[in-house]
């Protein structure tokens, strides 16, 4: 308002002073002014050395700004130039801190008000002369944490003033220094806060994201403006943000909800009232089903915990991820050539959230038996996938009894060794079987009457999963089960080979890879 940055006389002086004030933020914080008592004792010595205090350049220019409405522009320039000349003639320092005495014990960090005083003139010039912003990007990494926080807290008005002509801001995003990442994030957020980003901005963001191997926070403002293949490729990066903290959960939760939001339908309704610009009328990026499937299809044990957190976020929003959404996603995962390791965990979690899925879950169990997953994917079955299968059978009783009865002999023996509670159910089911399947009934009765204490190959079978479902009763239920079964073959060993001569119970079956 008060000066043209390109003015041949005053422009360079103001620019030099503004950048010098900003660069002072790289040094130590200014000291505290002396108290009245202390400063009076130094009046004599100070007056001999320090010239009379002269209003700083920022203060004088503020005074000119307050009167600018009553003065012509030429008069403003003339007054400012005369003030600068008087300051130079008297050797008065153009320092916003002024010549006041400084206490010996300077504070360790910059006060926010001091930071604002040092950057307000620089920011004002940047809004007129955009190329000056490059200095902020270059030196941002050299600022102390307290100064950087204060700069970020006050930089938004500058960014918004420059957003009207975003070419200069886009230029700053190209190859920005790595320490200036928080500043670059702020630029991207400001350029997308009032509408769809330009194609150039999306390209720059994705280029810097790939080039610098940044985390997914950098692309969040433009995430919903990417095409589906790019979004699906970013799902691992979004899951990588999850670390168990509420902050990371909130970030990923917001991203998930934006991806599956049906913006076209909602915006069309609101646009009828003139509330939404036409540029925002666009369909959802992913369906909830597609997002659930993408979360589960991350390979490797390192992803298990993060995928569990991602699924938990979806389960917390049953208004979007409804019962039919989980059913469709689970069905799609079951039909895949390679099923994910967390499939049964998700089936159990969805049963807890949607009890109406019991019939569907029983159908999933029957589908897994039909696929003979223990033979087609032995590495998957030998992990905690089998534990989840058994737990799901227990959770869906009595509907799952026919599924258990359809298992081959070896798998049925494993099931009975792991969950003895199923034996009584199967006996009753066998007795009620029609005459046409008596051969199968006899086979089942033979298995039930000679349920082994050990699994195939002499491997110790796991303790009953019913005890794992109630951990505080695990010890009592294990001991009761072993006592009821008695010694096997008269060798004094318990039902699971876990009780020795002293009758001490065996250790519980450990969880695999830390996942229950």
């Amino acid at each position: 308002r008060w000066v043209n940055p390109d003015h041949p006389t005053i422009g360079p002086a103001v620019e030099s002073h503004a950048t010098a004030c900003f660069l002072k933020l790289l040094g130590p914080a200014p000291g505290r002014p002396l108290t009245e008592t202390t400063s009076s004792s130094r009046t004599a010595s100070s007056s001999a050395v320090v010239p009379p205090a002269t209003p700083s350049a920022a203060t004088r220019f503020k005074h000119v700004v307050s009167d600018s409405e009553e003065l012509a522009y030429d008069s403003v320039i003339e007054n400012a130039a005369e003030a600068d000349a008087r300051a130079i003639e008297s050797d008065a320092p153009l320092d916003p801190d002024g010549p006041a005495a400084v206490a010996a014990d300077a504070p360790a960090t910059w006060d926010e008000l001091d930071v604002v005083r040092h950057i307000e003139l620089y920011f004002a010039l940047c809004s007129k002369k955009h190329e000056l912003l490059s200095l902020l990007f270059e030196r941002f990494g050299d600022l102390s944490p307290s100064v950087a926080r204060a700069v970020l807290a006050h930089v938004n008005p500058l960014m918004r003033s420059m957003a009207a002509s975003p070419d200069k801001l886009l230029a700053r995003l190209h190859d920005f220094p790595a320490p200036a990442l928080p500043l670059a994030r702020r630029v991207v957020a400001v350029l997308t806060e009032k509408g769809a980003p330009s194609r150039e901005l999306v390209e720059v963001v994705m280029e810097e994201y790939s080039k610098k191997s940044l985390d997914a926070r950098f692309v969040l403002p433009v995430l919903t403006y990417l095409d589906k293949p790019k979004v699906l490729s970013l799902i691992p990066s979004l899951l990588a943000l999850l670390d168990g903290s509420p902050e990371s959960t909130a970030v990923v939760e917001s991203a998930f909800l934006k991806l599956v939001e049906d913006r076209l339908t909602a915006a069309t309704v609101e646009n009828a009232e003139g509330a939404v610009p036409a540029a925002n009328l666009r369909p959802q990026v992913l369906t909830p089903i597609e997002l659930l499937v993408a979360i589960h299809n991350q390979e490797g044990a390192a992803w298990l915990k993060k995928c569990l957190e991602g699924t938990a976020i979806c389960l917390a929003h049953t208004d979007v991820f409804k019962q039919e959404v989980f059913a469709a996603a689970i069905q799609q995962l079951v039909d895949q050539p390679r099923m994910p390791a967390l499939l049964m965990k998700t089936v159990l979690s969805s049963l807890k959230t949607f009890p109406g899925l019991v019939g569907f879950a029983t159908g999933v169990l029957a589908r897994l038996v039909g696929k003979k997953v223990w033979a087609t994917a032995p590495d998957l079955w030998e992990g905690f996938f089998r534990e989840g299968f058994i737990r799901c059978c227990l959770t869906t009783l009595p509907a799952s009894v026919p599924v258990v009865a359809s298992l081959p002999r070896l798998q049925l023996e494993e099931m009975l060794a792991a969950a003895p509670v199923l034996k009584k159910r199967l006996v009753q089911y066998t007795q009620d079987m029609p005459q046409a399947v008596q051969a199968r009934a006899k086979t089942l009765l033979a298995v039930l009457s000679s349920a082994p204490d050990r699994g195939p190959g002499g491997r110790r079978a796991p303790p009953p999963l019913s005890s794992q479902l109630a951990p505080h009763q695990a010890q009592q239920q294990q001991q009761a089960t072993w006592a009821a079964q008695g010694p096997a073959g008269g060798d004094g060993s318990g039902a699971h080979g876990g009780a020795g001569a002293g009758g001490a119970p065996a250790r519980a079956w450990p969880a695999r890879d830390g996942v229950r």
Side-chain angles (χ1 to χ4, degrees):
R1 291 171 53 189
W2 41 264
V3 66
N4 180 1
D6 296 324
H7 190 279
T9 303
I10 205 171
V14 174
E15 181 179 324
S16 175
H17 173 64
T19 55
C21 289
F22 167 71
L23 292 175
K24 281 179 65 70
L25 295 173
L26 304 177
R32 299 185 183 91
L34 294 177
T35 62
E36 184 176 353
T37 304
T38 308
S39 60
S40 62
S41 63
R42 300 187 182 180
T43 301
S45 59
S46 298
S47 60
V49 178
V50 181
T54 303
S56 66
T59 304
R60 288 183 282 110
F61 290 146
K62 286 179 181 177
H63 175 71
V64 173
V65 170
S66 64
D67 297 333
S68 61
E69 295 181 358
E70 301 178 3
L71 298 175
Y73 180 75
D74 291 340
S75 178
V76 174
I77 297 298
E78 180 181 355
N79 292 343
E82 291 177 357
D84 272 337
R86 288 195 300 268
I88 295 172
E89 289 174 0
S90 62
D91 293 328
L94 293 176
D95 188 343
D97 293 323
V102 178
D105 53 341
T109 59
W110 281 82
D111 180 80
E112 184 174 356
L113 292 178
D114 283 332
V115 175
V116 171
R117 289 195 303 115
H118 283 74
I119 63 175
E120 59 182 354
L121 179 58
Y122 171 69
F123 278 7
L125 287 181
C126 287
S127 66
K128 303 291 184 180
K129 198 172 181 179
H130 295 176
E131 54 268 25
L132 291 177
L133 190 63
S134 60
L135 177 64
L136 179 60
F137 274 82
E138 293 169 3
R139 304 307 300 269
F140 186 83
D142 299 327
L143 299 175
S144 65
S146 61
V147 174
R149 285 192 298 269
V151 169
L152 289 175
H154 294 274
V155 78
N156 274 13
L158 169 62
M159 299 300 180
R160 292 190 181 103
S161 70
M162 299 176 64
S165 53
D167 294 343
K168 296 294 184 180
L169 284 178
L170 286 177
R172 300 284 74 78
L173 287 179
H174 274 294
D175 294 321
F176 64 87
L181 176 59
L183 198 59
R185 285 178 182 163
R186 190 63 55 89
V187 171
V188 177
V190 168
L191 290 178
T192 56
E193 65 182 358
K194 288 188 177 181
S198 64
R199 179 177 56 84
E200 293 78 9
L201 175 60
V202 174
E203 291 176 353
V204 169
V205 169
M206 295 307 298
E207 178 184 347
E208 294 300 314
Y209 167 77
S210 301
K211 185 190 304 181
K212 293 182 170 62
S213 300
L214 304 175
D215 65 37
R217 289 184 181 88
F218 187 68
V219 301
L220 289 181
V222 301
L223 183 64
T224 56
Y225 299 92
L226 303 174
D227 56 29
K228 183 178 293 187
K230 286 185 179 179
V231 170
L232 289 174
S233 69
L234 288 171
I235 296 299
S237 298
L238 288 174
L239 293 173
L241 296 177
L242 294 170
D243 57 8
S245 65
E247 294 78 11
S248 66
T249 300
V251 170
V252 177
E253 180 180 34
S254 175
F256 281 179
L257 294 179
K258 287 180 180 178
L259 286 175
V260 301
E261 179 186 5
D262 191 356
R263 294 181 299 278
L264 181 60
T265 301
T268 302
V269 174
E270 295 180 15
N271 197 57
E273 304 174 357
V276 178
N280 289 344
L281 297 179
R282 59 192 188 280
Q284 62 189 163
V285 181
L286 298 177
T287 66
I289 297 172
E290 290 171 332
L291 179 56
L292 274 172
V293 171
I295 290 173
H296 283 78
N297 280 334
Q298 307 306 315
E299 296 290 341
W303 288 104
L304 293 179
K305 184 176 180 181
K306 297 184 182 297
C307 291
L308 284 173
E309 290 187 53
T311 306
I313 290 174
C314 298
L315 284 167
H317 293 274
T318 55
D319 56 329
V320 177
F321 299 89
K322 302 178 181 180
Q323 174 174 306
E324 54 270 24
V325 169
F326 268 88
I330 290 171
Q331 187 63 55
Q332 187 171 333
L333 292 171
V334 171
D335 292 338
Q336 289 182 169
R338 172 70 181 182
M339 290 178 289
L342 290 177
L343 173 62
M344 297 313 301
K345 172 64 178 175
T346 299
V347 173
L348 287 167
S349 299
S350 59
L351 278 172
K352 184 177 180 180
T353 305
F354 307 108
L357 287 177
V358 169
F360 170 77
T362 305
V364 170
L365 295 173
R367 178 84 171 103
L368 294 175
V369 173
K371 292 184 71 171
K372 298 182 179 180
V373 62
W374 52 85
T376 57
D379 57 329
L380 183 66
W381 178 255
E382 289 297 325
F384 47 81
F385 191 95
R386 175 177 52 191
E387 296 181 39
F389 182 91
I390 299 173
R391 288 172 183 266
C392 193
C393 289
L394 293 170
T395 303
T396 55
L397 285 174
S400 61
V401 172
V403 177
V404 176
S406 67
L407 287 169
R409 178 167 187 144
L410 289 179
Q411 282 69 42
L412 181 58
E413 289 175 349
E414 284 187 345
M415 176 77 77
L416 293 174
V421 69
L422 291 171
K423 186 172 183 178
K424 183 178 179 180
R425 298 269 190 174
L426 286 172
V427 169
Q428 182 63 41
Y429 175 76
T430 304
Q431 293 173 351
D432 295 339
M433 292 179 72
Q435 293 292 329
V437 289
Q438 281 302 306
R440 176 61 180 166
K442 291 180 179 179
T443 302
L444 283 175
L445 288 173
V447 174
L448 294 172
S449 61
S450 60
D453 295 333
R454 293 176 179 271
R459 179 178 52 82
R460 187 177 68 186
L465 285 186
S466 57
S467 66
Q468 296 185 27
L469 295 176
H472 60 284
Q473 298 178 350
Q475 183 95 5
Q476 294 88 336
Q477 290 189 10
Q478 287 177 7
Q479 292 176 348
T481 301
W482 295 330
Q485 292 176 343
D491 60 358
S493 62
H496 291 275
R507 293 184 298 174
W509 192 18
R512 292 178 174 84
D513 300 324
V515 179
R516 279 296 189 190

